[in-house]
Structures are given as C-alpha cells and as structure tokens.
Amino acid sequence: YALFGWPLGHTMSPELHAQLFEASGQDAAYIGVAVPPDDLAEAFDLAKAKLRGINCTIPHKKAVVELLDGVDTAARDLHSVNTVAFRDGKAIGYNTDILGFSESLARDGVTLRGKKVLLLGYGGAASVMAYHCAREGACLTITGRNLEKAAALQQQIAEAVPHARVAVYSRRHIPRDIQIVLNSTPVGMYPNTGQAAVFPGTFPGLKWAVDIIYNPLRTNFLCQAKKAGINYMSGLAMLVLQAVAAA
C-alpha cells in the first residue's frame, strides 16, 4: 500500500499503518510516495498494477476521482477520495476522512447541531468537514482566499444536503458570534509553524478550535486557543481514526 501526496515531508502515515497492520496480523507494507500533481495519472496507473490500494492526501483527494471506476456514497457527495482499493482490475474510491472527523469530534464531546461554525478552506478536507457539519445541523460559514472556490463548496454541500445552512463570507466580513472554528488549510503545518490560520481572540464566544494539522501536534492557532482558555483539538485523532477505517 502507499500514500500519494505532494509534499510528504510531514506524514506519519507509514508508521501508523505499520502499527495497524501488526495489530491486525496483516503481512503488508505501506510507503509514502511524493507525487507531483502533474504525475498523478501516471503514478496511479502504476499503483493500480502493483499495489492493493492507496491513500491520497493533499492535493490529490479531488483530482483522483477522475481516475476511478467507482466511488462510495460519501466520496461521491464530497467529490473527495482519500482511500482507493484495487480489486479485480477496478479502482474503487472511499472517503474514510468523514468517519475520522465525526468520530474525533464525538470522542472529545464536540456537538455541532445549532452551533455557528467557521470553516477555513475549501479543499478535500474542507469538503469532509462541511459535509459533516451540514448533516449534523450546524450553521456553517466558509471562508478562504478564493471566494469562488468557497462558493463552489457551498453549492456542493447544498446539493448533497438539501437542508444545509451554509454561507460564504470574506475574511473581513465573517460574523463575530462564531462558536467553533475548523481549520482545513495547511497554514501552520511544519515547517511553517509560526503561522496561524486565524486568531481565536477574534471571536468572543469561541468554544472550540479544531485544526486538521497534526504536525506539529499543537499549531500556533491551537496554542493561541489554549492561552485564551478555549477548548482545542488537533488532527491527530482524525488521522488515526480514518486510518483504522481505511485499514
């Protein structure tokens, strides 16, 4: 098995999957492969011929969908795949991130129903987080540098979850009564650890700061949340739980 991503200097997945394989008694190996976006199709064909399956991370979760023979319901709704199984010459895509995200929130007692949630970003991980928030009845605001991409995610979620309450705002116009902030961007990831996705103090009623990043375990964003007495959660639990589902 392999992990496709670009870049891959921060990944813990090979070590994590090695432990999962050992715990489950599987005789298997898992490697990280740095695949530039332009090389994805070629690398995918090679993997399909040689491997049992792959995981995909930034920036391949959306692009890989076009290369698949089929996808499960969540992956179809999300237009995002993080797990691909090669069976009988077919490549089938799944999204175990949704399970990892939902279970990590439940583990720490984070409830979304009726909460005002800010989502930073609009990529593959963001679509997972937005999808779960919408299904759980949160009042979701999406923002990012490219508002057209944010609006595209808004439309995608509205089509997948008809009752969804989703809005798009520029950074300057984000409502100040946000209760939960979800960072799906790589801002603050190693080696650029001095950066912060957003300043928690911007939102007086903030209860939870959630970061998808797990390296470092506590980003600048989460460090600021801790100092302000705000509950915080890194992406480590999500990483482990989605890996368990994928394995």
Side-chain angles (χ1 to χ4, degrees):
Y1 300 90
L3 171 69
F4 282 9
W6 183 262
L8 271 186
H10 66 283
T11 185
M12 296 168 55
S13 291
E15 292 83 359
L16 174 57
H17 279 272
Q19 293 183 44
L20 291 173
F21 289 143
E22 182 178 359
S24 60
Q26 296 184 62
D27 182 14
Y30 188 104
I31 60 172
V33 183
V35 179
D38 291 345
D39 295 342
L40 178 60
E42 181 180 356
F44 185 87
D45 286 343
L46 183 60
K48 191 174 181 180
K50 300 289 186 180
L51 304 179
R52 294 283 302 277
I54 61 171
N55 287 131
C56 294
T57 188
I58 297 173
H60 300 314
K61 292 183 179 183
K62 289 184 179 293
V64 76
V65 174
E66 297 180 2
L67 306 175
L68 301 174
D69 299 299
V71 294
D72 73 350
T73 301
R76 183 184 67 245
D77 286 345
L78 292 165
H79 308 297
S80 176
V81 165
N82 76 314
T83 300
V84 180
F86 300 125
R87 297 173 183 154
D88 302 320
K90 302 288 186 180
I92 309 300
Y94 303 89
N95 194 300
T96 63
D97 281 337
I98 187 70
L99 300 174
F101 181 55
S102 62
E103 288 296 322
S104 64
L105 293 181
R107 174 178 170 270
D108 278 5
V110 184
T111 58
L112 296 171
R113 184 164 302 279
K115 298 296 193 303
K116 295 182 178 181
V117 180
L118 173 64
L119 173 61
L120 307 173
Y122 32 69
S127 64
V128 167
M129 300 166 98
Y131 184 66
H132 183 62
C133 286
R135 292 199 305 180
E136 289 297 304
C139 183
L140 182 65
T141 293
I142 303 173
T143 193
R145 294 180 179 178
N146 189 322
L147 292 183
E148 290 185 2
K149 290 183 178 181
L153 175 56
Q154 177 192 33
Q155 181 62 31
Q156 174 190 330
I157 297 303
E159 292 174 357
V161 186
H163 62 272
R165 293 178 290 171
V166 187
V168 172
Y169 286 96
S170 67
R171 287 286 187 108
R172 184 175 300 178
H173 296 101
I174 297 169
R176 292 295 179 260
D177 58 351
I178 294 297
Q179 297 167 291
I180 301 172
V181 174
L182 308 173
N183 176 43
S184 74
T185 77
V187 176
M189 182 188 293
Y190 178 85
N192 301 311
T193 56
Q195 301 176 355
V198 73
F199 295 104
T202 304
F203 310 105
L206 191 63
K207 302 300 182 185
W208 276 95
V210 179
D211 206 324
I212 198 154
I213 295 170
Y214 56 84
N215 186 12
L217 189 59
R218 191 180 297 157
T219 59
N220 191 343
F221 167 50
L222 296 186
C223 286
Q224 292 184 41
K226 182 183 179 184
K227 289 180 181 177
I230 298 166
N231 297 309
Y232 63 92
M233 183 172 63
S234 77
L236 183 61
M238 179 178 174
L239 171 73
V240 173
L241 293 167
Q242 66 79 26
V244 170

